[in-house]
Amino acid sequence: MTGKLHKLWVCSAFVLLSLLLDLGPALAQSQNTSQNSATPLVRLLQAKGILTAEEVAQLSQASSPSDADSRLAKLLLSKGIISQTDYNQMLGDPSVVTASSNSASVSLVPAVYHVPGSAAATPAVTPAVASAVASNAPVVTVDSDQQQVPPSQTASVSPTTISAANPIRPLPVGGIKKGELKPAITVAGVGITPYGFLKATFVHDSSSPGGDDFPLPGFLGDTGPNAAPEFHVKARASRFGTNFEWGDSSPNLTITGKLEMDFEGNFNRSDNRNLSSIRSSNVGIRLAFGRVDYKFSNADTFSALFGQDWTPFTSSTLPNILETTGVGIGFGVLWERAPQMRFGWTHNFGAFQLMPEIAVVLPAVGDVPSAANISNQLGYGERQGPDSASPQLEGRLVGQWQLDHAPGVAPAELIVSFEEGSRTAIVLGAAVPTAYHAAFPTGARVGSPTNGVTFEWQLPTHWVTLIGKVYSGSDLRYYFGGQLFSNYNSVFGLTNTASALSIDGGSTVVFGTNASGNAVVAPELPVRARGGFAQIGLPLSRWFGSDPEGRNAGWSLYGMYGTDQANTNDLAKAAPGGSRARSDMTVGTLNYKLNKWVSFSFEQSLYRTRANTAVPDLPLFMGLHQHEWRDLRSEGGAIFSF
């Protein structure tokens, strides 16, 4: 919808509503004959796509014309068609009823983003705005910016419709529509909108060997005489961010940005917080990028992003769970955020959108410096990816369409993604074993590839939502897959082997003599991996026809299963002394939304890790060699968004 047409609709709605209010007494006289029929104004708004058939039916059931007027005004306010001032003037009510107000008569009127049928999909740009996407319907309304607030924060689409269990979409399809930021403040022509949430939860793990407040695969170490149960209360999952929009004279050019942080960094060791370091985690960067979208036509939009964002490979589909610190690390979810330069093109076929994206990403594999070289990790993080001297290439292809045309249901998506990169370990000449120093006087370099492919699906309906992904690849450690294994030395056929540490201490490099009698460096091969997850979302309140303005409008239930497995033949070479081989997670999450800003959640989960039985030795758990590790985990708490 163009800016001029939008203003025309606003003015038309204002004038028509004013006329309707002036005719109130006359309409009251004919209440008995017209109470259950739609007014000409309502039919006009439906014809223009502003109201849905379901909303019109709800308005027709009003108890009186004044009740119908009030409901209609609330709908137009929630859709952004009229302002708060317009609303007050039209109803002659000096009180303020805002998108976040909550009273006995109106519990919630959320701000909603409207997506015209011809527009490309757009990412959300305010905390109350949806991760909106286009369809062939005149107007689609989708609530809750799910990359900004917790998944459980979904609000009602309107005073007459409860949202579906829509997917979390960190990477939306299409370009951002100009002017949709609706900034909270404007400074020197830059629109700024802060957002975030405060999150506090309790956690009980029946086994947490590493002392963490989030689950990791088992068999990373022994637990002592028992399973090492733990209890935590955590607030460090709280998050804050800011959206930006820069003005430009071109109506087709949109320039936006995002900066997002959380408190899940390392813990402090300072004089004033040494003893209390457990509650003093540091702020860390999550997202920091600028984005340019140019609309060439109603059907074609070009997008470019520069900075740190979710990776195109595997991060399009994330589960809706309460545990957001690890989000299934090593249990089949697979995700990552990384610095990148990403370019995409969206073509809208009308009822179907197609978007290919390609990105040059910071090369990384998660092979960080050893504990003995912790100062190096503090200094530069990781170097084996950048030492490959080549970028990591990632991309995805997304198809999007409206599977269910009911109000409050996001479009469906099918996604294919890939990544391709490499790593290099460097050994200094002084570190080369003496027997091989003559052959490698200045040192040696050896590396291995990383690659992966995913197929992902997001299929929301007003009854149930199904999402998931499957993946396969090699060296997926950086994306929290392959049981966190990276690579191994292939020493088959080598004799007189000797080893040396890489320059960062992160890898052990093996030297040996091959069958021809030549001194060589043993090849390093990636550990292959595969896995995935599936989740079902149930909008319980919508199922049972709860009042969208009532306190029972925010119930939802999610169930998921995920698994991640490393190739056992590769593990026999990477960890011949025994190791973990496969982990899975089964998670159930119950959410209750008190109002638009406050929600409560409880999550019960079971995390398991199985040992590699392809080797005779088994890893330790509770001081004994075991086939399986288990963690029965409970987490619950409250989330306050803004």
Side-chain angles (χ1 to χ4, degrees):
M1 169 192 316
T2 64
K4 291 182 179 179
L5 184 58
H6 179 74
K7 292 180 181 178
L8 179 61
W9 283 10
V10 172
C11 293
S12 299
F14 180 82
V15 171
L16 290 171
L17 274 175
S18 299
L19 291 173
L20 181 63
L21 291 175
D22 290 338
L23 294 174
L27 292 175
Q29 294 176 2
S30 59
Q31 175 181 347
N32 294 334
T33 59
S34 61
Q35 174 176 317
N36 294 324
S37 61
T39 65
L41 173 59
V42 171
R43 290 196 296 269
L44 175 63
L45 295 176
Q46 182 184 10
K48 290 185 174 294
I50 297 176
L51 297 179
T52 66
E54 183 176 342
E55 290 167 339
V56 170
Q58 293 284 345
L59 290 173
S60 299
Q61 297 173 5
S63 60
S64 66
S66 61
D67 183 28
D69 297 344
S70 177
R71 292 191 184 195
L72 179 59
K74 293 171 188 174
L75 274 170
L76 295 179
L77 174 63
S78 71
K79 293 172 177 287
I81 301 299
I82 63 175
S83 68
Q84 179 67 58
T85 302
D86 296 335
Y87 176 89
N88 295 337
Q89 289 177 349
M90 279 184 270
L91 294 187
D93 185 359
S95 63
V96 177
V97 181
T98 67
S100 60
S101 66
N102 187 15
S103 64
S105 59
V106 182
S107 65
L108 181 62
V109 184
V112 178
Y113 179 42
H114 311 276
V115 186
S118 61
T122 62
V125 288
T126 66
V129 167
S131 301
V133 282
S135 74
N136 60 338
V139 176
V140 176
T141 57
V142 183
D143 66 300
S144 178
D145 177 358
Q146 297 187 358
Q147 70 167 313
Q148 295 175 354
V149 296
S152 59
Q153 289 298 105
T154 43
S156 299
V157 173
S158 71
T160 59
T161 306
I162 295 175
S163 173
N166 289 321
I168 301 171
R169 284 187 174 151
L171 296 173
V173 172
I176 297 177
K177 187 178 178 182
K178 193 176 185 69
E180 288 297 342
L181 176 61
K182 298 179 182 177
I185 58 175
T186 301
V187 179
V190 180
I192 301 173
T193 305
Y195 66 87
F197 59 83
L198 308 176
K199 179 180 178 181
T201 62
F202 71 87
V203 179
H204 181 269
D205 290 279
S206 65
S207 180
S208 182
D212 296 300
D213 57 10
F214 65 97
L216 284 170
F219 297 131
L220 294 174
D222 194 7
T223 61
N226 65 3
E230 287 200 341
F231 179 83
H232 291 263
V233 175
K234 57 187 294 188
R236 67 192 189 103
S238 299
R239 192 178 306 169
F240 64 92
T242 304
N243 286 315
F244 302 91
E245 183 172 1
W246 290 266
D248 188 86
S249 58
S250 172
N252 297 322
L253 182 64
T254 305
I255 306 174
T256 57
K258 181 186 292 290
L259 176 64
E260 185 174 289
M261 317 285 281
D262 63 26
F263 298 86
E264 299 188 283
N266 58 288
F267 293 88
N268 275 306
R269 183 177 175 85
S270 56
D271 287 346
N272 65 317
R273 293 186 176 181
N274 188 13
L275 299 181
S276 58
S277 63
I278 191 173
R279 53 87 168 164
S280 303
S281 55
N282 289 328
V283 175
I285 184 173
R286 287 174 56 88
L287 305 172
F289 62 80
R291 176 176 175 137
V292 178
D293 295 280
Y294 189 81
K295 184 179 179 181
F296 284 92
S297 67
N298 288 335
D300 294 287
T301 302
F302 170 78
S303 303
L305 181 143
F306 306 90
Q308 179 158 304
D309 193 16
W310 297 88
T311 56
F313 171 66
T314 198
S315 297
S316 299
T317 306
L318 298 176
N320 189 322
I321 58 177
L322 180 61
E323 196 290 294
T324 56
T325 300
V327 195
I329 289 178
F331 292 96
V333 175
L334 223 63
W335 59 271
E336 189 54 272
R337 298 182 293 267
Q340 60 192 273
M341 295 184 180
R342 189 171 79 234
F343 306 93
W345 188 283
T346 303
H347 182 76
N348 192 340
F349 294 91
F352 181 80
Q353 292 187 81
L354 188 67
M355 186 185 74
E357 279 190 313
I358 194 75
V360 175
V361 183
L362 171 71
V365 291
D367 286 348
V368 298
S370 65
N373 294 270
I374 192 67
S375 60
N376 288 338
Q377 184 174 358
L378 295 175
Y380 52 72
E382 173 197 334
R383 64 174 296 171
Q384 293 197 16
D387 278 342
S388 68
S390 61
Q392 199 142 309
L393 190 64
E394 298 190 17
R396 66 175 189 149
L397 179 65
V398 185
Q400 178 175 278
W401 76 102
Q402 193 68 34
L403 177 64
D404 187 336
H405 293 277
V409 181
E413 289 185 359
L414 294 178
I415 305 151
V416 176
S417 72
F418 76 93
E419 67 93 7
E420 184 75 33
S422 61
R423 55 167 284 278
T424 297
I426 300 173
V427 177
L428 298 178
V432 174
T434 304
Y436 295 96
H437 194 271
F440 301 96
T442 59
R445 294 170 62 95
V446 63
S448 60
T450 170
N451 54 74
V453 62
T454 73
F455 174 71
E456 307 169 42
W457 61 92
Q458 301 178 14
L459 306 174
T461 71
H462 67 286
W463 289 109
V464 64
T465 294
L466 300 175
I467 69 167
K469 76 174 72 167
V470 291
Y471 60 83
S472 178
S474 299
D475 194 351
L476 298 179
R477 174 182 169 90
Y478 186 60
Y479 302 95
F480 313 116
Q483 291 301 284
L484 309 183
F485 287 98
S486 176
N487 57 85
Y488 63 93
N489 294 292
S490 179
V491 298
F492 179 77
L494 299 183
T495 58
N496 303 318
T497 58
S499 62
L501 287 177
S502 60
I503 190 173
D504 58 352
S507 295
T508 299
V509 178
V510 175
F511 297 80
T513 304
N514 63 17
S516 301
N518 298 321
V520 297
V521 177
E524 291 187 342
L525 301 178
V527 175
R528 292 166 289 178
R530 57 190 174 94
F533 80 90
Q535 184 177 54
I536 182 172
L538 309 176
L540 299 181
S541 294
R542 188 159 181 162
W543 276 18
F544 294 103
S546 300
D547 180 2
E549 298 182 357
R551 291 298 191 189
N552 285 320
W555 290 98
S556 61
L557 179 66
Y558 293 83
M560 75 163 289
Y561 176 81
T563 183
D564 175 77
Q565 181 174 351
N567 183 279
T568 54
N569 291 327
D570 294 345
L571 290 181
K573 305 178 184 69
S579 69
R580 59 200 178 277
R582 177 175 176 265
S583 294
D584 62 10
M585 59 188 289
T586 305
V587 183
T589 308
L590 179 65
N591 300 317
Y592 170 67
K593 175 181 62 64
L594 178 67
N595 56 36
K596 180 182 179 181
W597 307 111
V598 182
S599 66
F600 300 89
S601 299
F602 178 76
E603 188 166 275
Q604 188 65 53
S605 52
L606 174 63
Y607 293 85
R608 300 184 301 176
T609 297
R610 293 174 175 82
N612 182 15
T613 56
V615 296
D617 295 325
L618 297 175
L620 293 173
F621 175 48
M622 295 192 293
L624 301 173
H625 294 283
Q626 305 268 16
H627 286 87
E628 184 175 284
W629 165 89
R630 291 190 175 199
D631 174 23
L632 186 62
R633 190 173 194 273
S634 303
E635 182 171 5
I639 305 165
F640 303 81
S641 66
F642 60 89

